[in-house]
Amino acid sequence: MQSRRIGDVTVGAIGLGGMPMSIEGRPDEERSIRTIHAALDAGITLIDTADAYHVGADEVGHNESLIARALATYGGDTSSVLVATKGGHLRPGDGSWTVNGSPDYLRQACEASLKRLGVEAIGLYQYHRPDPQVDYADAIGALRDLLDAGKIRMAGISNADPGQIRQAQEILGGRLVSVQNQFSPAFLSSEPELRLCDELGIAFLPWSPLGGISKAAELGGHADRFAAVAERHGVSPQRVCLAWHLDKSPVVVPIPGASRPETIRDSAEASELKLTADDLAELGI
């Protein structure tokens, strides 16, 4: 697999998003662990999770714990695997999503994630979603403090706009390494953030790069174009979509969600798919 950089860490060009293995409609644990192991076998070394990836209010951190078990039971070397988690988003258990960006909460959330992941320092910790009730500078200041204390090795932000990216970079003293925003052929509104990350040399991690759990099969209305290019290459439209992401910029590291081994194996192959100028022109995005 091709490699890309997040801060001073080299990762595979395709990552794994853990959310589908822990929210509504999730598979049994055995299949999820096989999915994570398949990702590792395929050369994926970035696994993205969050403490909010769960269903019931009594199972906060379900996905973090699942990933920790998968890594512990993997037969190969996992020393190069970067686990990225997030704090600041919550699920009360009624299907809704809420936010809490207070510095005290983020510090508590980080400590809990450390325990669930079973590590001394989290590889990449990301502020999950801005809290309109908390000054953004205060929330990012909590990440700075966690960095300085050695609780996290790298800091990132998610669901941020260009102003917040620049503000976080300043508060973190130039140590912002990643931005995780929604981005896909059907959701292009984060293009300014992607371009800013490219300019600053910060990794851009598109979430829902295939259009989301319910739309990945159709690629959000662009299916015909992706299917045509895929047919020429003899691959899946989803693989074409991830290759399109990689072509956008060398700072892009897509994190497609998966809950089946065959799905993440197919996604991993995208790093080796070379799209031609004609392919990109036909996709038209």
Side-chain angles (χ1 to χ4, degrees):
M1 180 181 288
Q2 294 180 36
S3 63
R4 299 209 162 175
R5 302 283 293 179
I6 299 179
D8 60 358
V9 176
T10 299
V11 298
I14 301 293
L16 168 65
M19 187 174 75
M21 292 180 273
S22 289
I23 64 166
E24 290 81 355
R26 67 193 183 198
D28 60 72
E29 182 173 303
E30 186 273 337
R31 193 177 92 185
S32 292
I33 288 178
R34 284 194 293 109
T35 299
I36 297 168
H37 288 177
L40 298 173
D41 289 341
I44 288 174
T45 56
L46 169 65
I47 302 177
D48 181 80
T49 182
D51 59 0
Y53 295 164
H54 62 89
V55 177
D58 60 344
E59 56 171 21
V60 174
H62 178 278
N63 197 246
E64 293 175 322
S65 299
L66 175 68
I67 288 167
R69 287 193 291 275
L71 292 174
T73 57
Y74 184 62
D77 181 15
T78 60
S79 61
S80 63
V81 176
L82 174 63
V83 176
T85 192
K86 299 181 284 293
H89 224 345
L90 302 88
R91 300 202 77 194
D94 59 1
S96 67
W97 296 75
T98 60
V99 291
N100 187 343
S102 72
D104 285 345
Y105 175 76
L106 290 174
R107 285 189 285 267
Q108 294 168 13
C110 179
E111 291 287 352
S113 292
L114 279 165
K115 292 177 182 178
R116 285 188 291 265
L117 292 171
V119 295
E120 294 183 359
I122 294 170
L124 172 58
Y125 195 69
Q126 304 156 98
Y127 182 33
H128 202 155
R129 185 176 288 275
D131 181 349
Q133 303 302 316
V134 176
D135 190 293
Y136 198 71
D138 291 342
I140 302 303
L143 263 65
R144 178 198 58 215
D145 294 344
L146 291 169
L147 267 177
D148 292 342
K151 299 288 185 179
I152 65 177
R153 301 191 188 283
M154 296 187 293
I157 55 177
S158 184
N159 301 298
D161 63 32
Q164 290 166 335
I165 294 172
R166 293 189 184 279
Q167 185 180 15
Q169 180 73 317
E170 180 179 357
I171 292 169
L172 293 169
R175 294 179 290 173
L176 179 67
V177 303
S178 65
V179 173
Q180 183 178 148
N181 276 19
Q182 184 176 8
F183 191 79
S184 71
F187 192 94
L188 299 170
S189 61
S190 285
E191 186 84 36
E193 289 81 8
L194 190 162
R195 291 302 156 208
L196 179 57
C197 287
D198 184 77
E199 173 189 331
L200 299 176
I202 295 170
F204 184 83
L205 314 179
W207 62 265
S208 288
L210 300 176
I213 295 173
S214 63
K215 297 180 180 179
E218 299 84 21
L219 292 178
H222 294 271
D224 290 346
R225 280 175 279 176
F226 280 91
V229 173
E231 185 175 1
R232 282 204 298 274
H233 288 275
V235 301
S236 70
Q238 290 76 19
R239 196 183 303 185
V240 171
C241 184
L242 293 173
W244 169 82
H245 276 279
L246 294 176
D247 188 76
K248 297 287 288 184
S249 165
V251 303
V252 173
V253 184
I255 47 172
S259 62
R260 294 183 294 131
E262 54 269 32
T263 302
I264 197 58
R265 290 191 193 104
D266 184 72
S267 292
E269 292 291 334
S271 76
E272 302 306 313
L273 176 60
K274 307 299 182 186
L275 298 179
T276 67
D278 288 343
D279 293 333
L280 294 170
E282 181 167 352
L283 293 176
I285 47 177

